[in-house]
Structure formats: structure tokens, C-alpha cells
Amino acid sequence: MPMSEGPPTQPETRRVKLNAVYRALVDGSLGTRYAMVTGGRGSGKSYAVTLALAMMLREPGYRILFTRYTLTAAKDSIIPEFLEKVDILGCASEFEASQNSVVNTVSGSEILFRGIKTSSGNQTAKLKSLQGINVWVLDEAEELDDEETFDRIDLSIRDRRQPNLVLLVMNPPHKAHWLYGRFFAGLGQEFCGQRDGVTYIHSTYEDNRRNLPETFVSLAAKLRDSNPTRYNHIWRGHWADQAAGALWTWDMIDRYRHRVGALPAFRRVVVAIDPAVTSSDDSDETGIVCAAADLTGGYYVLSDLTKRATPHDWATTAIGEYRRRQADRIVAETNNGGDMVEATIRNVDGAVSYQKVTASRGKMVRAEPVAALYEQGLVHHVGSFPALETEMMTYTGASTQDSPNRMDALVWALSALMDGSGHAAFA
């Protein structure tokens, strides 16, 4: 059911209709220090959180820390998103933005946007030193793989001017994640309510259908019929189980994760693309993964930029990462796209080093040598990549499963790095 209209002094709630599960978050009546906001694709949770923050900022005495695990150039990314939403709410004139903060000029309350991880490592100490923080929002919380980092920041949230709140917003990843064991074990998949001093708010796209185009909803219906397990994870926001028959386990990935400190010198860096055949609303995502090999036989997964996009868009994204990482080559699988893939890349930037690869064996067979590197402890994920890692631990090669675009791009990237001579030998 939608949230009822608010009083005349709160014009925002008259303009926006939200699911009733968000009521306590928006009106400030949670009564708990911790709140978990979970949901699948299209659930409307980000909009609800923005509304809640806007309402807080209209009151004096709030200083909100909004973090993501990685957050670069807040003024170019997340701040415009925030301002766009408050403009829809009808109160944008009250807010003033700077490089990495937004201030309500009437109340004086502010929100600070920060990344937990920077290019030089973890900046937990800097975040802990911020004074007067009474609300901490950890957006995309599934990307924080380090429970100790969470605890350090959590314990620094103790300002008395307003009730303290630690708000975690996430698309639930896999049950091996520390967040599941700490907060969600023993709860139903779509639990809403309170337990042990924590408020749980869960919603799905079905709760938000009035705000979604029918073409978007049809994507969910298509996946529900073809792959119910993936539908439950992606669209209903269920925690994923590690699948029997998958080549990767949580331990293989997490034990050797590169969490802190400088990266080593790299022998080679590649960006791999697993392109979607089409670019319509119901197309597969285009897998884009960047990985590197060091000088001593180690491999590093640096980024997962997988997206549903037009060819020009995914090519621009891949080339941008190629330039940013000073990569040696872009490799792209061409079974479906043929020469179109190279032509698209060359059209964006004709100077990139490019190599096409063609799959002659099945996905699981191609992936086995890469999985063996993980088993030997040679592959290090630089940070956390929940969507990629969930795909790795749940894809079994069953005919009913969708194409693992992220996993495929990962396999192409690491395969390109495996030959010590610097040349890839592809199946």
C-alpha cells in the first residue's frame, strides 16, 4: 500500500507515494540505531532513502555521513542524483551543493559524501575523525567486505543532537557475506519488522510498479519464467546460496582478497568485453572486467563495469577504463558480434590495442583453468564485486541459466593474462 499523504507542512510527502514499509524511515519514528533497507532491482529503495534524508536535513542538528565503498567525484555522480531527486520532491531550493557535500541552507544540516576506499587504501581513520556525525548511510553496503571497517565507523557515530542512526542500503548478495551472518541469519528472505534492535525494511519491484514502465516490469516476468532462482535474487532481493556444481566458492575468492595497501607493479593490464547481442531494454548486460598480472605470478581483478548499454556506450566505458588503468589491450569475445565489436571500439577510439577472441568451447570448460588459479590462491579481487562474485558462485552451466556476462568477461580477462610470454592463448 502507498504511504498516505503528509501534513501541509511537508509538501514532499504529498508529491511522492511510497510503500508503507518506508513510513517509519521517512517520518523518523524508527526507534532503533540500525536500519537495513534491502530490495531487488526497481524496488524504489534509493528513492525512499533520499526522501528520508531530505526530511532529516530540513531539521536542525543533523550531520549525515553518506558513504559508498568506492566513491569518486561525488559532485559528478552521486550529488547530481541526490539533487535530482529532491527537485522532484519540490524542495531543491533549500539545498546548496559543494564538491562533496550538500547543505540545507534553512536548517543548517548537512550531508557529507565520502568513499571508504581510495586509490591509496582505506580511509577509515579520516571518516572516524569527522565530528558531529549522527547518521551514517552505507549505500551499496554489499560492497563492504570488511566487517572491521564497519565497526570502526559505526562506533564513531555518537552525536547527541539527533537520534543516532546507522542505515545500510543494499541489494542482498550471497549468504557467505558477513552482513548476512551478522544481521540476517534466521530471518525470512523478505522480512520486514524489528529484531534485536534492528529495523528491517524490504521491498520489491512489485511494490513500486506504479512508478515503473511496463517494459521494465516485463524483464522481471521474462526472468521469472526462465530462471526462478536468479529472478528471486535479482528482482526480489533474496540472498543467494552458493550453488552445487559452481566452479567457485566464497572461500576461494574471499581468502585472497586484496583489501588494503598499495598494489604491486603490473606486468600486463587488460580490459575484457563480453558484448550483448542487442541493446534493447531486455538485452543481456555487456560484461566489462579489468584485470592485471603482477611480476611474480599473481592476478588482480581491478574493476567490474558490466552494464546494459548501447554498443557505443559499452565501448566508451571499456575504453575509458583502458585509458584510466593504462591497460595494454582490450580483448572482446566476437562469437555473436563478429567484426561489429571491433568496428564499434575503433569508432570510439581507433588507437586502442585490440584483440578479438572466439569461444570454441563451452563456458564451464573455458572457465576451469581460471578457477584453478583461484584454487591456488593466485587471484586477488581488489575490493568487493558482489554481482560478479555471486554470478561466479551460482553459475553451473545449466541450460536454464542466463548467460553469465560478468563471469565471461572475467574469464576472458584472466585468460589473456595467463601466458607468461605476454600473449594470450585462447580456447
Side-chain angles (χ1 to χ4, degrees), residues 104-352:
N104 185 296
T105 57
V106 178
S107 69
S109 291
E110 64 178 334
I111 181 169
L112 310 177
F113 296 94
R114 300 287 189 272
I116 294 175
K117 177 183 176 294
T118 65
S119 58
S120 59
N122 192 303
Q123 64 165 351
T124 308
K126 290 183 179 179
L127 298 177
K128 284 177 57 183
S129 68
L130 293 172
Q131 299 299 308
I133 302 295
N134 40 41
V135 176
W136 174 30
V137 181
L138 178 57
D139 193 35
E140 299 178 356
E142 69 273 14
E143 293 188 354
L144 181 60
D145 58 78
D146 183 3
E147 186 174 4
E148 184 178 349
T149 294
F150 173 82
D151 287 334
R152 288 178 178 175
I153 302 175
D154 177 23
L155 294 175
S156 72
I157 311 302
R158 52 179 183 267
D159 183 75
R160 292 179 177 273
R161 292 174 298 166
Q162 291 286 357
N164 292 171
L165 173 64
V166 177
L167 176 62
L168 281 71
V169 187
M170 75 189 89
N171 297 318
H174 36 76
K175 291 182 178 179
H177 200 287
W178 69 269
L179 280 168
Y180 180 83
R182 178 159 171 173
F183 291 106
F184 292 88
L187 295 178
Q189 284 279 18
E190 299 185 18
F191 175 75
C192 288
Q194 293 187 353
R195 186 187 75 166
D196 299 333
V198 181
T199 298
Y200 295 86
I201 300 172
H202 185 89
S203 61
T204 74
Y205 75 98
E206 292 180 328
D207 301 315
N208 193 39
R209 286 193 68 152
R210 70 177 64 203
N211 300 313
L212 300 174
E214 194 57 38
T215 53
F216 186 84
V217 175
S218 68
L219 296 176
K222 177 182 178 182
L223 188 60
R224 181 185 60 226
D225 295 338
S226 65
N227 191 338
T229 299
R230 185 166 171 80
Y231 163 79
N232 284 332
H233 178 56
I234 298 297
W235 287 93
R236 298 205 66 87
H238 290 187
W239 293 81
D241 283 304
Q242 188 170 288
L247 293 176
W248 284 270
T249 67
W250 172 251
D251 189 59
M252 288 165 59
I253 298 168
D254 192 59
R255 178 183 294 185
Y256 305 102
R257 195 183 303 277
H258 186 87
R259 290 187 169 91
V260 296
L263 292 169
F266 291 139
R267 172 176 60 85
R268 289 188 73 216
V269 180
V270 301
V271 176
I273 306 172
D274 183 69
V277 180
T278 61
S279 58
S280 63
D281 289 341
D282 59 352
S283 298
D284 289 337
E285 293 178 312
T286 289
I288 305 172
V289 170
C290 181
D294 67 17
L295 303 175
T296 61
Y299 301 87
Y300 295 79
V301 179
L302 302 177
S303 60
D304 172 20
L305 301 175
T306 298
K307 63 197 306 185
R308 181 174 287 105
T310 65
H312 182 272
D313 189 16
W314 58 247
T316 300
T317 297
I319 291 170
E321 187 71 348
Y322 169 89
R323 295 298 181 194
R324 187 172 78 88
R325 299 284 186 180
Q326 298 182 314
D328 300 282
R329 181 168 296 177
I330 290 178
V331 297
E333 194 270 329
T334 60
N335 281 51
N336 294 316
D339 293 337
M340 179 276 294
V341 176
E342 181 175 5
T344 301
I345 292 171
R346 297 292 185 202
N347 186 55
V348 175
D349 187 342
V352 301

Side-chain angles (χ1 to χ4, degrees), residues 374-407:
Y374 281 82
E375 289 177 334
Q376 298 170 63
L378 296 177
V379 184
H380 312 278
H381 286 202
V382 181
S384 180
F385 306 104
L388 169 62
E389 292 165 12
T390 297
E391 198 168 87
M392 293 165 68
M393 292 187 295
T394 57
Y395 185 74
T396 64
S399 59
T400 56
Q401 290 186 296
D402 291 340
S403 178
N405 310 104
R406 299 170 191 270
M407 189 193 88

